[in-house]
Amino acid sequence: QVQLVESGGGLVQAGGSLRLSCAASRSIFSIEAVGWYRQSPGKQRELVARITSGYSTNYADSVKGRFTISRDNLMNTVYLEMNSLKVEDTGIYSCAADIARGRYWGQGTQVTVSS
């Protein structure tokens, strides 16, 4: 098991940047994958970006070229660097760790992008 705590959300103007952090309660070295998910108003939760233990990454088409996911195994933290933010990026961002057959979620952090 693992506990995850997200931080770094907030209010930003369109075109701005934010960096989200997902801090784990234990080593993430062996965690299969960690993903950032977004729940936008009126929409289903969607995968925004994901990084595996082998550092492979994948992104939603809507954020490619603007968002970057990375992991720091020494700090037990996964980051989501978000640039050129758009109003439609607004939502609650949560990270989730895939371990064995389970998925463990953080509580989420709100990101609001104003026009």
Side-chain angles (χ1 to χ4, degrees), residues 62-82:
S62 61
V63 306
K64 282 181 181 176
R66 300 187 298 121
F67 290 12
T68 303
I69 190 170
S70 62
R71 60 191 289 162
D72 185 335
N73 289 346
L74 291 178
M75 297 298 292
N76 299 329
T77 301
V78 174
Y79 302 98
L80 184 68
E81 185 75 36
M82 306 187 295

Side-chain angles (χ1 to χ4, degrees), residues 4 20-24 28-37 47-60 63 67-74 76-81 94-99 102-104:
L4 303 172
L20 306 184
S21 299
C22 171
I28 64 171
F29 181 78
S30 60
I31 292 179
E32 297 161 27
V34 177
W36 279 100
Y37 295 78
L47 175 67
V48 174
R50 186 173 182 264
I51 186 166
T52 70
S53 57
Y55 291 85
S56 295
T57 59
N58 61 283
Y59 297 90
V63 306
F67 290 12
T68 303
I69 190 170
S70 62
R71 60 191 289 162
D72 185 335
N73 289 346
L74 291 178
N76 299 329
T77 301
V78 174
Y79 302 98
L80 184 68
E81 185 75 36
S94 303
C95 61
D98 294 336
I99 302 174
R103 176 166 289 171
Y104 300 86

